[in-house]
Amino acid sequence: MTGEIEIPASLDEARAVLTDRPVGVVPFQIRAQLLAVQGVEQAVDAAVPVVEDYYVGAILDLPNADVPVTTTMLEEWRVTMDDVVRAGAAARAQAESPIEQFGAALVIRSVAFAAAALRDPAAVSALRPDAVPVIVIPDVGHTLVGFADDHASLASVAAAADRVLANTDRSVSITPLVRGASGWERFEWPESVAAEVGRMGRRWDQVQYSAARDVLNRTYAAAGVDVFVATLELAQQGDDGPFTTYATVTKDVHTVIPRADFIVLNGGDGRMQRVPFERLLELPGVLTPSAGTVPDHFEVSRFPEELLAG
């Protein structure tokens, strides 16, 4: 059995086991909602905003678990999260960060490097001083690096992010950042990499909705509401084709659905119809936003019988 986890009593005691890590807003919100429905809000991670939807938090690398630094710990240690992040950066300043090639992009596998790169763009710029770096940090252990004028590297970044997200339960963000005059800024993908970016975006949606589905199921169950939370499914046209997302709504089943490209309507009598999600939004009385859900979900208030063929 795993032994009892002993949390350091102060920041000084924790320094040797601290590691900074990147945190994304959406996964952070989903985790906070899960902890709330479990009744352990005091375990919510602490983090400081850096740029766009990226935050930096920290974990304690303990012998029997990796434990996120929480707001409760900060209160007990009488420090701020900025203090913790600085201590974590100092503790891992000399750590090696392996660099790999993925297509025309670079991949750095290191939790500490990902956090350091968010706080200091110079850590990435040094990889290729003659080019403007663009980064995506899809999960806590992968920093993906392309270059603004190298569209092949940008396509590889998006493709690598898709692959990482398909094999992780610690997602962060797919927001691209570019080195600007005063630090990181949001980057706009060029049209030439739209296909790769589209696949990455659909993969991201599936991962986030999958994580949120468990939270919603627990939330509705705790409230005594009998509802089916639909799964966001991912379909691909051929081996290298675009991804499409869809969810299914069955007549007479109280359903909450994610935002998808399409909704499959099942009349329960053999009649089925695929309908663009936006079409359902246009119909009066069909979809009602589910308040407080992250990502956005919608309650099917009435089944759109008029859209079924036959």
Side-chain angles (χ1 to χ4, degrees):
M1 292 181 60
T2 302
E4 184 177 348
I5 298 173
E6 295 186 11
I7 303 299
S10 67
L11 177 56
D12 283 340
E13 290 186 16
R15 291 180 191 276
V17 293
L18 269 179
T19 298
D20 289 347
R21 62 164 182 161
V23 177
V25 169
V26 172
F28 179 86
Q29 292 174 326
I30 293 172
R31 174 172 165 77
Q33 290 183 345
L34 177 60
L35 294 174
V37 77
Q38 291 175 334
V40 287
E41 293 92 336
Q42 69 277 10
V44 172
D45 306 4
V48 292
V50 181
V51 58
E52 292 292 336
D53 57 348
Y54 288 99
Y55 283 56
V56 170
I59 58 172
L60 300 172
D61 185 12
L62 302 177
N64 50 359
D66 288 339
V67 180
V69 172
T70 66
T71 53
T72 300
M73 292 180 198
L74 298 182
E75 293 172 2
E76 293 175 349
W77 294 349
R78 298 184 179 182
V79 298
T80 68
M81 193 58 200
D82 284 312
D83 296 328
V84 172
V85 168
R86 284 194 294 269
R92 298 290 180 262
Q94 304 305 317
E96 293 187 2
S97 303
I99 301 175
E100 303 172 5
Q101 197 86 22
F102 183 92
L106 301 177
V107 179
I108 297 91
R109 295 176 180 266
S110 168
V111 174
F113 181 87
L118 282 174
R119 299 180 71 237
D120 181 11
V124 174
S125 297
L127 297 174
R128 188 173 154 187
D130 64 330
V132 178
V134 174
I135 67 169
V136 171
I137 302 178
D139 84 340
V140 294
H142 291 82
T143 302
L144 311 179
V145 184
F147 302 95
D149 294 326
D150 182 350
H151 289 199
S153 74
L154 298 177
S156 293
V157 164
D162 174 26
R163 177 172 295 189
V164 169
L165 289 168
N167 296 282
T168 187
D169 58 1
R170 302 184 300 166
S171 60
V172 176
S173 174
I174 57 169
T175 298
L177 303 175
V178 63
R179 177 73 187 270
S182 59
W184 291 120
E185 302 171 357
R186 178 184 281 268
F187 178 71
E188 297 297 329
W189 296 106
E191 184 62 29
S192 62
V193 299
E196 292 83 1
V197 170
R199 286 194 292 270
M200 174 186 66
R202 294 302 188 272
R203 179 77 70 184
W204 170 261
D205 290 344
Q206 184 199 38
V207 169
Q208 303 317 311
Y209 275 114
S210 178
R213 187 169 185 263
D214 179 48
V215 178
L216 285 179
N217 279 324
R218 290 170 180 258
T219 301
Y220 282 114
V225 178
D226 184 15
V227 64
F228 176 74
V229 180
T231 302
L232 186 74
E233 303 287 357
L234 196 63
Q236 186 174 20
Q237 300 175 21
D239 293 338
D240 299 315
F243 286 147
T244 299
T245 57
Y246 68 94
T248 300
V249 174
T250 301
K251 186 178 180 179
D252 297 327
V253 176
H254 185 196
T255 305
V256 169
I257 61 173
R259 183 182 287 273
D261 292 318
F262 295 95
I263 300 299
V264 176
L265 301 176
N266 182 352
D269 56 2
R271 292 180 301 156
M272 300 188 74
Q273 184 70 43
R274 192 180 79 158
V275 181
F277 183 87
E278 300 303 322
R279 180 74 179 100
L280 294 187
L281 281 178
E282 295 169 356
L283 292 177
V286 173
L287 298 184
T288 302
S290 185
T293 55
V294 178
D296 293 338
H297 285 75
F298 298 80
E299 182 177 351
V300 181
S301 301
R302 75 170 179 87
F303 186 80
E305 181 83 27
E306 65 270 31
L307 296 183
L308 279 180

